[in-house]
Amino acid sequence: MADNFRSKLITEGVQRSPNRSMLRAVGFGDNDFTKPIIGIANAYSTITPCNMSLDTLARRAETAVRAAGAMPQVFGTITVSDGIAMGTEGMKYSLVSREVIADSIETATSAQSMDGVVVIGGCDKNMPGALIAIARMNVPAIFVYGGTIKPGHYNGRDLTIVSAFEAVGQYSAHTIDEKELLEVERHACPGAGSCGGMYTANTMSSAIEAMGMSLPYSSTMSAIDAEKADSAAQSAAAVVEAVHRQLLPRQILTRKAFENAIAVVMAVGGSTNAILHLLAIAHAAEVPLTIDDFETIRQRVPVLCDLKPSGRYVATDLHRAGGIPQVMKMLLKHGLIHGDAMSITGRTIAETLAEVPDAPRKDQDVIRQWAEPLYPQGHLAILRGNLATEGAVAKITGIKHREITGPARVFECEEDCLAAVLAGKIKPGDVLVIRYEGPKGGPGMREMLSPTSAIIGAGLGDSVGLITDGRFSGGTYGLVVGHVAPEAQVGGLIALVHEGDSITIDSVKRMLKLNVPEDEIARRRAAWQPPKPRYTRGVLAKYAAQVSSSSIGAITD
């Protein structure tokens, strides 16, 4: 079996003696050189509560790798806190960190000829970054999610980080006082774990479980519960077994796996960011996937889970109700996922779900009964029109009005829009346009949680629209459209919108349109000049030079 290991390089005679000497220094003994080497990519940090408990999981994984007869090598990778960076210039680094994470995992794993890898992550970009690297390298691998935060509590209601952002808008609208704003801030995040609703972190952990690249039930566990550490140990043992069987990621990350992931994202009411990230992971795995595939699957998959941001419950509630396996079993029973897709355990999805009930328990309403879905179709729609010839992404559920035609209120960056909302300058019927926030223009495609939460807090969530070439947080809801492509920086029509222009957002017809005559558009286009890049050196400049359109995943390779 050792002949199958990439680490066999260290066993090949005298020429490898220096390699062996260095490995002895990190704990290898005479009998360890024929064992597979398992990397443990540890995204632990105290930058964010999402990642502050990961070191405990890494230690459990390390012990489990040794117990399974392999040799662990732990290395670090970065994270940034989306929640802390939100609304600041620092948020431009968030999507960039996805690429840095992927590149660092690939670099360490490949440079050290590791035979397999366990990736442990928490905050939003940890998951897609890990899967991009895993798909590129194609060595046996598993993802371990750090776990979700438990909800905060104040005045008889559950709180999440989005509650704090919305409270800012409520305070500005004078519906709460400064004391309540402070109390919401104090109680929203009670400890370790990723943001608690079906926001981007929990959406992507759910998608990864659906694809078979993490263990069943692991995507909705609380970060601080004992079962999370146990799951990390079980995951490490599973990847050692995958090394021995040479079960490779690209045998798991097939077209069927991506279709399963998309179906689960729709069923749980997941984040718009899932579209961006799944496209990027598919590219890394060399699996054909387009933005229109999401629309096709959306039309046949109902929303089954009543989860925040637009619903009532958080991820720990979903876990108690049966987790992602219960959702997947319902979809499998109705022919909406592929039961023959493979998982990291070596079992098919159908085999994995064999003991899961066909229907959820009736003593809960987090997961709705099949005949009583929250919505009959998925919530992430792909809009097209002259404003988005490559497509745009809208979250179309949980809103009262699914169409708006109104005057454009144009902002060249997120901060200007937020200031206008907080100053009471936005009126019902307005369509806000935030541009030059795309992958190249931002650069980095910031999330617009601050202005969208302020809109909700100000009571305008059902009466205004918003479009942007940037992204939205998984915590965003309302009549909002993101990922508008082509983006403003490359001359997309969103760059040519003038204050007061009529814009239509129609989520029923899946249309995004600037209602301006073609000859006027042509005149504006002839006069338009791209703005100078905001950064000319450093990581953001390199990113802007390499990154693709959001319509194909904002990929850099």
Side-chain angles (χ1 to χ4, degrees):
M1 185 60 67
D3 286 344
N4 291 328
F5 299 151
R6 300 168 79 218
S7 57
K8 68 181 180 177
L9 294 175
I10 65 172
T11 72
E12 292 176 350
V14 175
Q15 71 272 24
R16 297 299 174 189
S17 293
N19 310 62
R20 291 161 64 105
S21 293
M22 295 192 74
L23 288 168
R24 288 184 190 278
V26 297
F28 277 64
D30 288 341
N31 296 324
D32 295 328
F33 292 108
T34 57
K35 296 176 181 178
I37 294 176
I38 306 298
I40 300 174
N42 182 9
Y44 163 76
S45 80
T46 58
I47 287 174
T48 172
C50 311
N51 291 51
M52 63 188 283
S53 62
L54 300 191
D55 210 36
T56 300
L57 305 186
R59 289 195 296 270
R60 282 293 301 273
E62 183 179 17
T63 300
V65 166
R66 291 185 189 276
M71 292 301 292
Q73 289 193 315
V74 181
F75 62 93
T77 186
I78 69 154
T79 196
V80 301
S81 173
D82 287 9
I84 296 172
M86 196 72 69
T88 73
E89 196 78 358
M91 190 62 193
K92 293 180 178 181
Y93 290 86
S94 170
L95 189 57
V96 178
S97 76
R98 185 188 77 178
E99 311 307 305
V100 177
I101 292 164
D103 291 350
S104 66
I105 295 170
E106 177 191 356
T107 299
T109 303
S110 299
Q112 302 308 123
S113 297
M114 296 174 187
D115 301 299
V117 63
V118 179
V119 185
I120 305 174
C123 199
D124 293 5
K125 306 310 172 296
N126 295 182
M127 276 74 76
L131 266 290
I132 289 169
I134 287 168
R136 282 182 195 162
M137 298 183 301
N138 202 35
V139 299
I142 196 167
F143 181 75
V144 176
Y145 181 40
T148 184
I149 196 171
K150 291 190 174 182
H153 302 283
Y154 172 67
N155 202 22
R157 60 192 175 107
D158 286 349
L159 300 177
T160 70
I161 184 60
V162 175
S163 307
F165 281 93
E166 291 179 358
V168 173
Q170 292 166 341
Y171 174 74
S172 298
H174 307 294
T175 58
I176 64 172
D177 59 19
E178 186 174 0
K179 178 180 182 297
E180 182 161 356
L181 174 63
L182 183 59
E183 291 301 322
V184 171
E185 178 228 297
R186 284 172 170 162
H187 292 88
C189 296
S194 298
C195 298
M198 191 47 68
Y199 311 145
T200 302
N202 287 320
T203 298
M204 291 310 301
S205 69
S206 299
I208 291 168
E209 182 178 327
M211 287 193 287
M213 288 302 301
S214 62
L215 294 187
Y217 298 100
S218 64
S219 66
T220 51
M221 292 175 177
S222 161
I224 63 173
D225 287 347
E227 65 177 348
K228 173 48 64 180
D230 292 341
S231 179
Q234 293 159 7
S235 298
V239 87
V240 174
E241 178 61 25
V243 169
H244 285 290
R245 297 178 60 179
Q246 282 300 285
L247 178 57
L248 305 179
R250 292 197 189 186
Q251 295 171 270
I252 301 168
L253 294 172
T254 62
R255 169 75 186 204
K256 289 181 178 180
F258 282 96
E259 291 183 356
N260 287 352
I262 295 169
V264 166
V265 168
M266 297 297 176
V268 300
S271 166
T272 53
N273 284 307
I275 295 176
L276 194 74
H277 297 324
L278 288 172
L279 287 170
I281 297 165
H283 172 78
E286 299 184 272
V287 171
L289 191 72
T290 72
I291 194 170
D292 294 315
D293 291 321
F294 291 82
E295 179 61 34
T296 299
I297 294 172
R298 180 194 75 80
Q299 293 183 22
R300 60 178 185 247
V301 176
V303 178
L304 297 171
C305 300
D306 188 4
L307 297 168
K308 291 179 181 293
S310 58
R312 293 178 292 166
Y313 297 106
V314 295
T316 50
D317 298 318
L318 174 60
H319 189 64
R320 286 190 292 270
I324 296 304
Q326 181 63 78
V327 175
M328 292 182 72
K329 186 60 176 285
M330 296 169 72
L331 296 173
L332 179 64
K333 179 176 172 59
H334 291 86
L336 293 174
I337 63 172
H338 303 282
D340 58 343
M342 184 59 66
S343 75
I344 185 61
T345 63
R347 294 183 295 169
T348 65
I349 295 299
E351 290 169 341
T352 300
L353 300 175
E355 302 302 317
V356 178
D358 288 344
R361 301 192 323 269
K362 293 188 177 180
D363 64 347
Q364 58 79 46
D365 58 357
V366 184
I367 306 173
R368 304 286 282 266
Q369 300 299 316
W370 185 263
E372 300 173 344
L374 205 62
Y375 303 101
Q377 292 182 316
H379 62 301
L380 301 181
I382 306 303
L383 275 56
R384 291 188 184 271
N386 63 357
L387 270 169
T389 55
E390 294 178 8
V393 179
K395 187 183 286 188
I396 63 173
T397 51
I399 54 177
K400 291 181 180 179
H401 306 292
R402 299 180 64 179
E403 184 272 337
I404 186 172
T405 296
R409 302 296 308 280
V410 181
F411 304 95
E412 309 300 322
C413 64
E414 175 188 6
E415 290 87 349
D416 290 352
C417 179
L418 176 62
V421 175
L422 296 180
K425 296 180 179 179
I426 303 303
K427 307 301 180 188
D430 287 346
V431 178
L432 285 63
V433 178
I434 308 177
R435 63 190 180 193
Y436 295 104
E437 291 284 8
K440 287 183 177 294
M445 205 179 178
R446 286 193 290 183
E447 293 179 349
M448 304 291 121
L449 181 59
S450 294
T452 57
S453 295
I455 288 167
I456 297 294
L460 295 168
D462 292 318
S463 59
V464 303
L466 186 152
I467 72 170
T468 180
D469 51 9
R471 297 181 295 129
F472 295 119
S473 162
T476 293
Y477 62 102
L479 191 56
V480 295
V481 183
H483 306 201
V484 171
E487 63 172 290
Q489 187 70 27
V490 300
L493 188 58
I494 190 172
L496 308 182
V497 178
H498 286 186
E499 184 82 7
D501 283 349
S502 172
I503 290 178
T504 296
I505 305 171
D506 191 331
S507 63
V508 178
K509 296 179 180 178
R510 303 191 304 281
M511 181 179 69
L512 184 62
K513 186 180 179 183
L514 176 65
N515 303 307
V516 169
E518 285 298 324
D519 57 347
E520 173 61 15
I521 290 173
R523 187 191 67 78
R524 294 181 188 179
R525 188 172 299 283
W528 178 81
Q529 293 290 327
K532 293 181 180 179
R534 287 169 168 161
Y535 295 83
T536 58
R537 300 188 69 182
V539 66
L540 291 180
K542 289 190 288 185
Y543 182 83
Q546 293 177 307
V547 70
S548 76
S549 169
S550 61
S551 65
I552 58 173
I555 55 176
T556 56
D557 64 344

